Amino acid sequence: MAASDLLPHGALDGVKVLDLSRILAGPTCTQLLGDLGATVIKVENPKTGGDDTRQWGPPYVMDADGQPSDLSAYFMSANRNKRSVAIDIATEEGQQAIRHLAAEADILIENFKPGGLAKYGLDYASLKPALPGLIYCSISGYGQTGPNSHKPGYDIMAQGFGGIMSLTGEPEGQPMKAGVGIADVMCGMYACIGILSALHHRDKTGEGQQIDLALVDAQIAWLINEGVAYLNTGQIPRRRGNEHPSIMPYGVYETADSHIILAVGNDSQFRRFMEFLKLEGLAEDARFATNPARLQNRDALNAILIPSVQRYTTEDVLQAMEIRKVPAGPVQNLETLFATDQVAAREMSIPMETAAGPVKLLGNPLNFSRTPVTYRHPPPACGEGTQEILSSPSPFAKP
């Protein structure tokens, strides 16, 4: 896209977000909204030092004196494009400050336990009469209803309760969570979709609403094919490590010098793969000629493929598969990933300057031809905008 085609602001320019969330699901959502141009004010508890993730380190950004700041890598991963205010909502003064901010906001997002804000008069039912156009997104572990609604929610709990851990890991190993808080992140993405849908409805009708989103519900929703397969067969799927329940061969294979990913998605790709391995006869063998047959004879096929692939280096296989148009890829660590030309070309690592010093953050993957993602505010120190924001007659005014 040409730079001249880009507007100087994002698609959500002028949208005002009051963020009462912490940890990862809510902050993921509000960072996305902020990247898209919304003005986001993040409320943090001064008694606890702010968002819990400020203490989830190391690593931390080191300040000018060489001491850890309150900017941990975990916190920075989900809190750019926000301004921080320190407010104690347990006080009458704090509650009044929240009402003042909410009165100016289009969106309020919170992740307190169900009913947790009612005692402060900051729940949706309390705010709705005065703010009928407010979009109020409530994220909790199990949702606002149901027998588990009172229970707290954390990512690993959602991955366990929501079934994904039963599908992840080696067949004979422990149930395994994903390496990052993917249940939280996916919940944040669902929240963003719900908020934008509610915003569209509000813009047409003037009517706000509450969005009730459960971490566990979001986790269950992205069980996708495995969840639907169980619901329609009653058969409990088993862990397969890196292998696919419906495609073979598909997974991670050891090479002479490392590992490679192979995703052989159809029979013609399988024939070309076998040509490279000099095993052309397997493509005609009734046990392996079709994908259903290969799935039925998975162990027998792997007994042949595993030692065959081990004869070649990863680069040998990658080059051969690219020529033959068979999907294959490397298994990179983060050092090799962020050194690639692809990451640089797509701007997936971005520099920002915080109050504590320079940092690098992950880029936003959305690329717009007119309303680009912008990186306007680095992750803030706890409460660094309190005085300016709360003393302003227009608290969401751009600094």
Side-chain angles (χ1 to χ4, degrees), residues 20 89 92 95 99 110 112-127 136 138 144 210:
L20 273 64
I89 65 171
E92 180 62 33
Q95 293 155 25
R99 293 188 189 97
E110 56 90 9
F112 287 76
K113 291 180 184 178
L117 288 176
K119 61 185 175 182
Y120 304 125
L122 300 176
D123 58 318
Y124 180 63
S126 298
L127 295 180
Y136 191 108
S138 297
Q144 302 296 305
Q210 184 177 24

Side-chain angles (χ1 to χ4, degrees), residues 41-42 44 54 82-86 380-386 389:
I41 294 178
K42 181 181 179 74
E44 301 191 70
R54 289 186 182 275
K82 304 176 187 180
R83 302 170 71 201
S84 172
V85 296
C382 180
E384 71 176 37
T386 304
I389 291 169

Side-chain angles (χ1 to χ4, degrees), residues 182-315:
I182 187 64
D184 273 333
V185 171
M186 286 297 296
C187 185
M189 290 183 176
Y190 277 112
C192 192
I193 293 167
I195 284 170
L196 294 179
S197 299
L199 189 64
H200 179 67
H201 174 77
R202 199 279 307 274
D203 288 347
K204 290 194 301 179
T205 67
E207 180 183 49
Q209 61 186 299
Q210 184 177 24
I211 301 165
D212 169 12
L213 179 59
L215 188 62
V216 166
D217 290 352
Q219 169 60 80
I220 293 169
W222 63 268
L223 290 174
I224 51 172
N225 59 299
E226 291 282 38
V228 172
Y230 168 74
L231 289 173
N232 287 277
T233 66
Q235 296 179 3
I236 300 174
R238 65 183 183 88
R239 294 191 298 277
R240 296 188 181 277
N242 288 312
E243 293 191 330
H244 198 286
S246 306
I247 306 172
M248 176 65 188
Y250 183 110
V252 177
Y253 287 83
E254 187 176 354
T255 64
D257 57 350
S258 59
H259 293 85
I260 192 169
I261 295 168
L262 292 164
V264 183
N266 58 50
D267 296 340
S268 62
Q269 290 176 359
F270 182 69
R271 285 193 294 273
R272 297 195 296 272
F273 182 35
M274 293 303 97
E275 289 169 4
F276 165 68
L277 294 177
K278 300 179 174 59
L279 297 170
E280 292 91 339
L282 291 187
E284 308 304 325
D285 189 318
R287 297 174 299 164
F288 311 127
T290 66
N291 186 64
R294 292 192 293 274
L295 288 170
Q296 187 173 354
N297 297 284
R298 184 193 298 267
D299 292 342
L301 181 54
N302 269 337
I304 300 170
L305 293 185
I306 289 172
S308 298
V309 176
Q310 286 175 339
R311 297 199 303 263
Y312 300 90
T313 66
T314 294
E315 190 59 32

